[in-house]
């Protein structure tokens, strides 16, 4: 028992600074807590299977250990939302089978789908090809060519150009933006969807709820009681005892199944949202954003680093394009794609480079589609809180099981010793006189009571309350623009002590415009006015911008406003160059890119080699201003003449600094010529060619304004007050980063802006590991950082004990997102690789949404603690009352059916009411929740002990002196008087729970009613519970072993429950020690363990 006892109930916090929480903890500031006060709390217990801080990268062995150590009554339900430890093996087996037998599997799936459509039972989520349409190539030839990566077949069709013509598509313009054409293509080649494996229906949840061991035992006991009752008392009276228990058990099963089913639907909706990737395609020459499900054969799709390949296809053109095919081949090697190896597989990721592809296969006509159709979506994943609650549930369950055995033994001993009396005062067992059927019937009733105590005592719903509150929170977080990919991240955000945030798009609006320009050797009066520039300079700038971009400029045929697409930085520069007179389409048709070096976050620049005509080669570079400037040896003046840059270099440096101090992102555009003879001729050599980046000619430096997001300063302030340090990590110039940090409130003043508070990534990475750990604590702003610098910072902070949340949008951010406790990717600017490595996707890229996620994380933890406090109060009171009564009188006041009703209030309805409390601003007035914080804080101990002692005292007084107190001692019908007394005990007990549910809402606040109107579900559940209690007592007497109470006794029951409100207020005045109670609990276990190990 010691292994599980040290968890949940007895777990301690990791550090003093996390002492404050929603459901308790002192209000001491971090610096007020002496480290020695918590020295014992820092220890991790390797022998405790439930002592699992972080499940994000936990080993399969540690996950298996805690499951094996849990006391579980219904394994299929308890472990429903935990990770399938055999998932990887199953996935690998399916992938191998599909690669080997794709054609057969596809044929079988098509046959099944066609049959479903014929009978009308088919799912509309996957459309097989219906007719060949008016295309010059049929589906089977396309599928066969792509799957077998058949180059000779591709050549027979005339290469990628010939295939595009047969598919009536244009390699530059894509297909026409016409709904009918899209529909025709879906009919001819299928849609980019696959038939989902059907989720569990309601009856499956009913079956799982039925698997509870104690409920099965109760049903057997009920059937036995039913048979004996009918035999001895006849059908009219004999069915009541057994029938009532059976009905109560069925009610518990149905309510449980309904709750679980609704929960599963919420997860299903969230999974659908996760799978619905948005991507760009070319249609009618315009770049449009569509759902991955709307991709059709013939679409032309641009590919960039970090993208997922959305369908099978053939490469049109690419530069340094490398694909990670491990998801389909199982081999973790990057495959380079070019005209010799042009086939692309759906589901793979773009690891490097840029390119464009022609879609040739979608949906179940791809191996990825077949794989997705054959595996079910895994929603399983344990969270740290779930593991700890299993430990707590196991500990409580062991106590409850012990109590049940004690009650069983006590009742049997009293029964067979002849000291147990029935309601009329007659001895129940008389040796030699009592019939066998009566003995069996009485023993079954005793056994039923003991089993029912186990049902109430083992809190099966406690670990499941985590998934309930997470399901609720995840649905609500969608409205707050956060899509949770990993359940554990939601609760871990409540423990976050630092957020490492990107600048662009997260702290700023990502709405960029060029506001300052230096060109021709001086500052331009108007940033986008070409009048003072030489045509030669404008031509070179235009060519550099038009060719060295992943964006696009579209001129509508009807002469409407020009449409510019691409990343915000690309759009700003394209828009600026367009105003200077750039003819985008003309430039791209008159010159050709022969090699490209896509923008790299390590080098902070990107370049292209452009061939003009047959002989001229220009190399254009664009990137971070000071880095590109360092590579320049000359600049072009306003007359179009090349001048040495030495005399002007300081001028340009000062210009960059001035723009950076005004929060502008500085980008330089430069070029150089290259002899055609020095350019590799062979494609293979060309792919390996490194673009020259020395002796560049500076053409222009632009300053791009990206204003701070409204409300970001307030959001940073909320984090600071909540004990969460916000750090900015950006690839921008240090001066730009400093200016934005001051504007956002991350830096309080200029005086703070000294090293290492603000630091360059290069300086940080050159430190030793030990130095990095020391410096990381003090860093607030990191400028000119690479993704690897971000990873090093995350690792250093985590070693210092911080719980780190990090934002990222690029493919190279994936390692940092994976390493962090919580990885937050950007929904708008983030790549698919970044999103898949993250735990939460911020749908609007807004820092304020990150703060809302912190709020929700704290809310999850607080709601679970409210439920624990409520449930343990019921547990303690019910167990003590029944044990004391059984020991003293041989009978229990709370019968089996009544305990099952209490279990329903406590487990399912209580979890629904308390686990769905919305977050309050009060949560952000506290420091972060420690990951090893005790689940039951000192405040919770005080609250539950005050309430349970009150309930036990009142109900025991009613049990032993109720007849005289209630004026029933003179009643001529003694049996009726006892029934009234027991009904009063049951009614008062339920009233106490109803009123105490309000107390549980606010464990550390005097006003327990604040915000109650904002949770209509709570009000509804309390109301329904009260109404059902009236019906049970008044009209279901024979069924529930109750009798109708007078209005005076109803008022008395309500008054007993009502006392819990003022009692809670008085209880909150009782001072509590700072040291968690769990420390005192743990000491004996530690001493015992030390003595054993000695």
């Amino acid at each position: 028992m010691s292994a599980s006892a040290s968890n949940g109930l007895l777990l301690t916090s990791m550090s003093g600074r996390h002492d404050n929480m929603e459901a308790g903890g002192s209000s001491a500031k971090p610096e007020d807590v002496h480290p020695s006060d918590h020295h014992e709390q820092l220890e991790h217990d390797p022998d405790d299977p439930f002592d699992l801080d972080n499940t994000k990268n936990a080993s399969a062995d540690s996950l298996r250990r805690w499951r094996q150590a849990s006391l579980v009554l219904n394994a299929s339900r308890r472990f429903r939302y935990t990770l399938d430890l055999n998932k990887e093996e199953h996935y690998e087996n399916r992938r191998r089978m599909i690669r080997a037998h794709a054609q057969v599997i596809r044929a079988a799936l098509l046959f099944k789908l066609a049959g479903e459509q014929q009978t009308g039972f088919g799912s509309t989520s996957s459309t097989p090809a219906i007719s060949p349409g008016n295309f010059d190539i049929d589906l089977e030839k396309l599928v066969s060519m792509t799957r077998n990566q058949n180059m000779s077949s591709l050549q027979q069709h005339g290469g990628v150009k010939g295939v595009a013509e047969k598919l009536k598509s244009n390699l530059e313009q894509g297909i026409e933006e016409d709904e009918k054409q899209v529909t025709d293509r879906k009919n001819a080649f299928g849609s980019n969807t696959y038939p989902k494996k059907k989720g569990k229906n309601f009856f499956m949840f009913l079956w799982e709820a039925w698997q509870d061991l104690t409920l099965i035992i109760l049903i057997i006991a009920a059937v036995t009681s039913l048979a004996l009752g009918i035999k001895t008392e006849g059908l009219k009276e004999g069915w009541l005892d057994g029938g009532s228990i059976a009905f109560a058990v069925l009610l518990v099963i149905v309510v449980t199944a309904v709750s679980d089913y609704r929960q599963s639907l919420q997860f299903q909706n969230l999974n659908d949202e996760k799978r619905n990737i948005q991507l760009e395609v070319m249609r009618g020459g315009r770049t449009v954003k569509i759902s991955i499900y709307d991709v059709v054969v013939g679409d032309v799709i641009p590919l960039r680093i970090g993208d997922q390949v959305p369908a099978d296809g053939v490469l049109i053109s690419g530069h340094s394009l490398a694909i990670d095919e491990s998801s389909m081949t199982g081999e973790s090697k990057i495959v380079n794609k070019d005209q010799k190896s042009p086939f692309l597989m759906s589901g793979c990721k773009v690891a490097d480079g840029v390119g464009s592809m022609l879609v040739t296969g979608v949906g179940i006509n791809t191996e990825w589609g077949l794989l997705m159709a054959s595996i079910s979506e895994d929603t399983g994943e344990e969270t740290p809180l779930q593991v700890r609650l299993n430990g707590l549930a196991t500990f409580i369950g062991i106590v409850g099981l012990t109590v049940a055995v004690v009650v069983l033994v006590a009742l049997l001993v009293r029964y067979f010793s002849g000291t147990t009396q029935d309601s009329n005062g007659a001895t129940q067992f008389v040796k030699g006189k009592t019939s066998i059927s009566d003995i069996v019937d009485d023993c079954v009733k005793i056994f039923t009571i003991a089993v029912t105590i186990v049902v109430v005592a083992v809190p099966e719903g406690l670990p499941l309350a985590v998934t309930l509150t997470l399901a609720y929170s995840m649905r609500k977080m969608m409205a707050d623009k956060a899509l949770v990919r990993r359940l554990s991240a939601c609760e871990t955000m409540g423990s976050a002590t630092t957020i490492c945030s990107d600048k662009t798009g997260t702290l700023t609006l990502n709405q960029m415009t060029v506001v300052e320009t230096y060109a021709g050797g001086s500052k331009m009066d108007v940033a986008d006015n070409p009048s003072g520039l030489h045509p030669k300079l404008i031509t070179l700038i235009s060519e550099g911008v038009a060719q060295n971009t992943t964006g696009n400029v579209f001129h509508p045929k009807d002469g409407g406003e020009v449409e510019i697409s691409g990343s915000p930085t690309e759009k700003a520069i394209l828009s600026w160059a367009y105003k200077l007179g750039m003819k985008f389409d003309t430039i791209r048709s008159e010159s050709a890119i022969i090699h490209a070096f896509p923008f790299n976050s390590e080098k902070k620049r990107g370049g292209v080699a452009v061939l003009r005509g047959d002989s001229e080669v220009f190399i254009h570079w664009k990137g971070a201003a000071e880095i590109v400037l360092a590579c320049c040896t000359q600049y072009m003046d306003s007359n179009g003449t090349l001048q040495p840059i030495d005399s002007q270099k300081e001028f340009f440096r000062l210009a960059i600094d001035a723009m950076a101090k005004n929060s502008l992102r500085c980008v330089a555009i430069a070029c150089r010529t290259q002899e055609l003879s020095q350019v590799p001729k062979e494609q293979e050599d060309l792919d390996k060619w490194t673009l020259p980046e020395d002796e560049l000619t500076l053409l222009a430096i632009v300053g791009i304004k990206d204003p701070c997001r409204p409300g970001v300063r307030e959001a940073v302030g909320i984090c600071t007050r909540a004990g969460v340090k916000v750090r900015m990590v950006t690839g921008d110039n240090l001066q730009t980063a400093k200016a934005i940090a001051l504007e956002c409130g991350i830096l309080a003043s200029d005086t703070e802006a000294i090293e290492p508070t603000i630091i360059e990534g290069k300086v940080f990475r050159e430190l030793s590991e030990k130095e990095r750990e020391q410096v990381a604590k003090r860093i607030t702003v990191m400028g000119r950082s690479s993704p690897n610098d971000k990873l090093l910072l995350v690792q250093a902070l985590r070693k210092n004990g911080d719980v780190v949340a990090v934002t990222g949008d690029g493919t190279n951010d994936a390692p940092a997102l994976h390493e962090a406790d919580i990885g937050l990717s950007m929904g708008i600017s983030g790549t698919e690789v970044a999103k898949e490595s993250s735990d939460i996707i911020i749908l609007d890229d807004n820092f304020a949404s990150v703060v809302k996620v912190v709020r929700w994380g704290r809310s999850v933890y607080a709601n679970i603690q409210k439920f624990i406090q409520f449930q343990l109060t019921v547990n303690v009171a019910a167990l003590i009352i029944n044990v004391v009564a059984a020991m003293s009188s041989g009978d229990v006041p709370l019968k089996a059916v009544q305990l099952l009703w209490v279990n329903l209030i406590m487990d399912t309805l209580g979890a629904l009411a308390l686990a769905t409390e919305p977050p309050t601003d009060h949560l952000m007035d506290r420091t972060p929740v420690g990951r090893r914080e005790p689940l039951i804080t000192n405040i919770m101990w005080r609250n539950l002990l005050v309430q349970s002692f009150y309930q036990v005292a009142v109900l025991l007084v009613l049990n032993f002196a109720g007849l005289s107190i209630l004026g029933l001692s003179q009643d001529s019908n003694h049996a009726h008087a006892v029934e009234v007394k027991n009904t009063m005990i049951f009614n008062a007990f339920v009233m106490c729970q109803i009123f105490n549910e309000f107390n549980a809402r606010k464990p550390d606040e005097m006003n327990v009613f604040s915000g109650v109107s904002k949770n209509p579900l709570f009000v509804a559940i309390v109301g329904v519970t009260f109404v059902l209690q009236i019906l049970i007592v008044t009209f279901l007497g024979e069924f529930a072993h109750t009798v109708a109470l007078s209005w005076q006794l109803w008022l008395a029951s309500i008054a007993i429950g009502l006392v819990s409100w003022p009692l809670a207020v008085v209880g909150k005045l009782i001072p509590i020690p700072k040291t968690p109670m769990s420390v005192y609990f743990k000491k004996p276990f530690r001493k015992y363990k030390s003595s054993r190990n000695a």
Side-chain angles (χ1 to χ4, degrees):
M1 190 168 86
S2 62
S4 59
S6 64
N7 190 276
L9 191 67
L10 307 172
L11 250 181
T12 51
S13 67
M14 189 161 65
S15 65
R17 67 174 163 181
H18 304 313
D19 215 36
N20 235 337
M21 23 189 340
E22 166 71 6
S26 68
S27 57
K29 292 176 184 175
E31 58 269 25
D32 296 338
V33 184
H34 197 272
S36 63
D37 293 342
H38 297 277
H39 68 282
E40 292 189 74
Q41 298 163 288
L42 296 166
E43 295 178 25
H44 165 73
D45 186 355
D47 298 326
D48 183 357
F50 300 106
D51 194 355
L52 203 61
D53 282 342
N54 195 347
T55 58
K56 183 172 177 179
N57 300 313
S59 68
D61 283 343
S62 60
L63 298 180
R64 201 172 277 112
R65 267 182 75 211
W66 77 259
R67 295 178 204 193
Q68 291 167 349
S70 297
L71 173 68
V72 181
L73 300 176
N74 186 347
S76 60
R77 182 168 183 252
R78 177 81 75 88
F79 299 134
R80 180 186 298 134
Y81 293 112
T82 55
L83 184 70
D84 178 4
L85 298 176
N86 300 317
K87 177 190 168 191
E88 286 300 319
E89 188 182 342
H90 173 67
Y91 180 89
E92 184 64 18
N93 290 339
R94 294 299 303 175
R95 187 187 57 72
R96 280 198 193 121
M97 191 172 83
I98 283 165
R99 295 231 80 194
H101 310 290
Q103 208 149 347
V104 177
I105 294 167
R106 177 172 165 266
L109 199 53
L110 284 169
F111 181 77
K112 181 187 169 194
L113 285 170
E116 285 178 346
Q117 288 198 346
Q118 285 290 322
T119 54
F121 293 109
S123 164
T124 56
S125 66
S126 182
T127 312
I130 298 165
S131 65
N134 56 346
F135 299 99
D136 300 330
I137 186 169
D138 65 41
L139 173 64
E140 294 308 319
K141 283 180 183 172
L142 266 181
V143 171
S144 173
M145 178 186 76
T146 312
R147 179 179 297 120
N148 300 324
Q149 305 203 352
N150 192 330
M151 280 299 293
S152 62
S153 177
L154 179 63
Q155 295 309 323
Q156 282 172 17
H157 291 298
V160 66
K161 193 173 181 183
V163 172
E165 285 172 2
K166 290 180 179 183
L167 289 172
K168 295 182 170 37
S169 180
N170 183 300
L171 293 180
E172 290 179 2
Q173 306 282 314
I175 65 170
E176 285 305 312
E177 208 173 349
D178 174 34
E179 195 61 43
K180 184 181 180 303
Q181 197 175 131
V182 170
T183 307
D184 288 346
R185 289 173 187 276
K186 284 184 179 178
N187 288 338
F189 303 108
S191 64
N192 200 27
T193 53
Y194 50 86
K196 294 175 199 164
K197 273 209 157 186
K198 286 177 183 171
K200 292 178 184 173
N201 59 30
F202 177 68
F203 296 105
M204 288 295 292
F205 284 95
L206 269 178
W207 176 250
E208 281 190 5
W210 176 266
Q211 302 304 303
D212 192 306
L213 180 63
T214 48
L215 295 183
I216 292 169
I217 294 170
L218 282 177
I219 285 289
I220 294 168
V223 170
T224 309
S225 179
L226 195 66
L228 289 168
I230 292 170
K231 184 187 171 187
T232 54
E233 298 174 44
L235 182 61
K236 191 176 180 182
E237 297 291 331
W239 73 274
L240 284 170
D241 278 347
S244 59
I245 293 170
F247 182 78
V249 169
L250 290 173
L251 183 66
V252 168
I253 288 169
V254 170
V255 172
T256 302
V258 168
S259 172
D260 289 351
Y261 181 60
R262 286 185 70 253
Q263 203 170 310
S264 79
L265 291 178
Q266 288 181 357
F267 282 126
Q268 203 172 306
N269 292 337
L270 288 163
N271 282 326
D272 290 342
E273 194 68 39
K274 279 191 268 184
R275 284 191 292 257
N276 189 12
I277 297 167
Q278 298 294 309
L279 54 95
E280 288 182 346
V281 299
M282 293 296 292
R283 286 192 179 169
R286 172 189 278 145
T287 305
V288 294
K289 209 156 199 175
I290 62 168
S291 163
I292 192 170
Y293 300 134
D294 295 328
V295 170
V296 292
V297 169
D299 264 327
V300 171
I301 298 177
L303 296 173
R304 301 184 189 97
I305 185 169
D307 286 351
Q308 177 174 314
V309 179
D312 280 2
V314 183
L315 181 69
I316 298 169
S317 64
H319 300 287
S320 310
L321 189 66
I323 305 290
D324 178 2
E325 294 185 347
S326 57
S327 59
M328 287 311 301
T329 62
E331 297 171 18
S332 57
K333 67 175 184 179
I334 306 300
V335 181
N336 292 310
K337 292 293 173 182
D338 50 31
Q339 297 310 319
K340 290 179 183 175
S341 173
F343 293 102
L344 298 158
M345 284 194 291
S346 178
C348 299
K349 305 289 188 302
V350 180
D352 200 6
V354 291
S356 59
M357 67 176 280
L358 175 72
V359 175
T360 57
V362 293
I364 57 169
N365 299 317
T366 69
E367 287 183 14
W368 177 255
L370 292 175
L371 181 62
M372 291 295 101
S374 66
I375 59 172
S376 54
E377 180 71 28
D378 181 31
T379 53
E381 173 225 343
E382 40 264 83
T383 72
L385 197 51
Q386 196 178 355
V387 176
R388 292 175 65 187
L389 283 171
N390 269 285
L392 179 58
T394 299
F395 176 78
I396 297 167
I398 291 169
V399 172
L401 204 56
T402 308
V403 169
V405 171
V406 169
V407 168
L408 178 65
V409 171
L411 290 177
L412 287 173
V413 168
R414 287 188 65 91
Y415 177 78
F416 286 109
S417 63
T419 53
T420 305
Q421 296 177 332
D422 62 18
S423 55
N424 294 312
T427 303
Q428 283 188 305
F429 175 78
V430 179
K431 195 175 180 181
K433 290 185 180 179
T434 309
S435 67
I436 296 294
S437 63
D438 284 347
I439 292 171
V440 172
D441 193 26
D442 290 338
C443 286
V444 166
K445 285 177 183 173
I446 290 168
F447 186 69
T448 303
I449 288 165
V451 173
T452 311
I453 287 172
V454 176
V455 174
V456 175
V458 179
E460 280 290 287
L462 193 54
L464 293 167
V466 181
T467 26
L468 181 70
T469 190
L470 286 173
Y472 165 79
S473 302
M474 285 165 73
R475 186 164 50 86
K476 293 288 185 182
M477 283 165 77
M478 280 293 289
D480 281 341
K481 303 298 180 188
L483 172 61
V484 179
R485 295 188 75 255
R486 286 177 57 90
L487 279 175
S488 58
C490 189
E491 70 183 46
T492 309
M493 272 306 272
S495 302
T497 57
T498 184
I499 300 170
C500 298
S501 174
D502 284 339
K503 175 187 79 69
T504 307
T506 309
L507 297 168
T508 61
L509 279 168
N510 220 3
Q511 294 172 1
M512 302 194 186
T513 45
V514 174
V515 293
E516 277 190 43
T517 303
Y518 286 79
S522 62
K523 183 179 179 180
M524 291 171 62
D525 293 333
V526 180
D528 50 16
N529 183 0
S531 59
L533 301 179
H534 194 274
K536 187 179 176 183
L537 178 57
I538 293 175
T539 300
L540 282 170
I541 289 172
S542 297
E543 184 179 78
V545 172
Q547 293 287 23
N548 190 13
T549 184
T550 54
N552 187 44
V553 177
F554 175 73
H555 294 271
K557 291 173 184 174
D558 59 5
E561 196 174 326
V562 68
E563 293 176 20
I564 297 172
S565 59
S567 70
T569 308
E570 295 282 13
K571 282 164 75 175
I573 294 171
L574 282 168
S575 180
W576 165 76
Y578 177 74
K579 288 173 186 173
L580 287 180
M582 174 187 71
K583 302 284 188 291
F584 186 83
D585 292 332
T586 307
I587 291 168
R588 295 192 83 146
S589 63
E590 289 176 352
S591 57
I593 298 171
I594 53 174
H595 189 56
F597 177 82
F599 180 84
N600 184 302
S601 52
E602 292 283 345
K603 287 201 164 188
K604 307 289 180 196
R605 58 192 180 275
V608 291
V610 175
L611 178 65
R612 282 192 196 168
D614 297 325
S615 56
E616 256 187 320
V617 175
F618 274 83
I619 292 166
H620 292 278
W621 285 96
K622 180 179 72 185
E626 71 272 24
I627 292 172
V628 173
L629 179 64
C631 301
C632 294
T633 55
Q634 50 191 358
Y635 72 96
M636 186 170 282
D637 65 16
S638 54
N639 299 316
T641 310
L642 296 180
Q643 302 286 352
I645 204 168
D646 295 339
S647 60
Q648 287 287 90
K649 217 159 197 174
E650 191 57 30
F651 166 75
F652 288 126
R653 279 202 198 98
L654 291 172
I656 292 167
D657 275 349
M659 287 193 283
K661 284 174 182 173
N662 287 327
S663 312
L664 302 186
R665 168 176 277 190
C666 303
V667 176
I669 299 163
C671 73
R672 60 164 285 167
T673 56
Q674 183 78 3
E675 293 293 327
L676 187 60
S677 58
Q678 294 177 345
V679 178
K681 300 288 184 292
E682 296 297 321
Q683 186 63 45
E684 200 170 319
D685 296 330
L686 192 62
D687 289 339
K688 294 174 185 173
W689 183 43
T690 303
L691 286 181
E693 50 189 356
D694 56 341
E695 298 182 4
L696 301 183
T697 299
L698 182 68
L699 302 176
I701 298 172
V702 295
I704 302 171
K705 181 71 177 172
D706 184 14
C708 263
R709 283 185 181 274
V712 80
R713 192 178 182 89
E714 291 75 12
V716 170
I718 289 168
C719 282
T720 306
R721 289 194 299 277
V724 181
K725 183 172 177 64
V726 180
R727 293 175 162 89
M728 182 201 287
V729 184
T730 176
D732 272 352
N733 181 303
L734 201 58
Q735 293 298 330
T736 307
K738 174 188 162 186
I740 292 286
L742 285 165
E743 201 177 331
C744 294
I746 292 171
L747 285 173
S749 64
D750 247 330
T751 53
E752 277 188 24
I754 53 169
E755 199 172 296
T757 306
I758 69 167
I759 193 169
E760 272 205 358
K762 184 176 71 174
V763 176
F764 181 70
R765 86 177 75 110
E766 285 170 357
L767 298 172
S768 69
E769 191 176 330
K770 200 84 176 166
E771 288 170 329
R772 280 200 297 268
E773 285 175 35
Q774 291 300 314
V775 168
K777 299 174 190 173
R778 298 170 60 189
I779 292 173
T780 302
V781 176
M782 187 186 283
R784 281 287 175 249
S785 71
S786 68
N788 193 51
D789 298 331
K790 189 186 278 189
L791 176 62
L792 291 172
L793 177 62
V794 169
Q795 288 170 337
L797 289 169
R798 290 192 73 210
K799 281 179 184 169
N800 287 331
D802 273 299
V803 179
V804 184
V806 66
T807 69
D809 52 14
T811 302
N812 293 332
D813 287 327
L817 291 168
H818 182 74
E819 178 72 21
D821 295 285
I822 314 102
L824 303 157
S825 65
M826 300 297 112
I828 299 169
S829 60
T831 63
E832 279 310 309
V833 170
K835 288 174 188 176
E836 286 207 1
S837 299
S838 68
D839 306 303
I840 297 173
I841 300 171
I842 304 300
L843 298 172
D844 62 353
D845 292 14
N846 191 344
F847 184 78
S849 299
V850 176
V851 179
K852 287 175 185 173
V853 173
V854 175
R855 211 159 158 258
W856 275 108
R858 294 187 177 193
S859 176
V860 167
Y861 200 88
N863 287 351
I864 294 301
Q865 288 189 309
K866 292 169 187 177
F867 180 54
I868 292 171
Q869 181 181 308
F870 174 67
Q871 189 167 48
L872 287 188
T873 305
V874 183
N875 277 52
V876 170
L879 291 178
I880 292 177
I881 291 159
N882 271 11
V883 169
V884 174
M887 294 287 202
S888 57
S889 64
D891 192 18
V892 288
L894 297 172
K895 307 299 181 189
V897 174
Q898 295 169 358
L899 282 173
L900 285 171
W901 169 234
V902 168
N903 185 63
L904 203 59
I905 296 172
M906 179 180 74
D907 245 17
T908 310
L909 298 178
L912 269 172
L914 293 168
T916 56
E917 278 280 308
T920 60
D921 293 334
H922 181 60
L923 291 164
M924 297 303 282
D925 294 335
R926 304 177 174 277
T927 50
V929 176
R931 283 195 294 195
R932 301 175 62 77
E933 191 81 45
L935 279 174
I936 307 175
T937 64
N938 288 359
I939 282 181
M940 290 167 67
W941 275 118
R942 179 190 65 195
N943 294 347
L944 77 88
L945 289 174
V946 166
Q947 292 295 334
S948 54
F949 282 162
Y950 164 70
Q951 290 178 21
V952 168
V954 169
L955 299 183
L956 285 180
V957 167
L958 282 175
N959 188 55
F960 294 111
L963 292 176
S964 56
I965 291 171
L966 301 173
L968 300 169
S969 51
Q970 306 304 317
D971 195 325
S972 56
N973 187 343
H974 181 71
H976 179 262
V978 170
E979 283 179 342
V980 170
K981 180 201 76 171
N982 285 345
T983 303
M984 182 65 187
I985 291 171
F986 168 57
N987 205 36
F989 184 59
V990 171
M991 289 301 130
C992 283
Q993 309 326 317
I994 290 172
F995 286 100
N996 191 40
E997 217 158 343
F998 284 89
N999 293 330
R1001 286 185 67 248
K1002 303 287 178 185
D1004 58 346
E1005 291 181 53
M1006 291 296 185
N1007 182 7
V1008 296
F1009 305 106
S1010 66
V1012 74
S1013 59
K1014 292 178 183 174
N1015 189 356
L1017 186 61
F1018 177 88
V1019 176
I1021 286 171
V1022 169
V1024 167
T1025 307
F1026 188 75
V1027 170
L1028 287 176
Q1029 179 65 14
I1030 293 171
L1031 294 175
I1032 287 168
V1033 171
T1034 310
F1035 301 108
L1036 301 175
E1038 291 183 333
F1039 167 78
H1041 298 283
T1042 60
V1043 292
L1045 297 177
S1046 64
W1047 65 268
Q1048 291 96 335
L1049 291 180
W1050 267 104
L1051 281 179
S1053 301
I1054 292 169
I1056 289 168
L1058 199 60
V1059 170
S1060 68
W1061 285 351
L1063 189 67
V1065 173
V1066 172
K1068 283 166 188 171
L1069 299 174
I1070 299 170
I1072 53 167
K1074 282 187 179 180
T1075 305
M1077 295 280 284
S1078 50
V1079 172
Y1080 302 117
F1081 279 122
K1082 255 193 157 180
K1083 275 181 182 174
F1085 292 110
R1086 281 195 178 145
K1087 282 177 183 172
Y1088 173 66
K1089 205 175 282 182
S1090 311
S1091 63
R1092 274 177 56 192
N1093 295 336

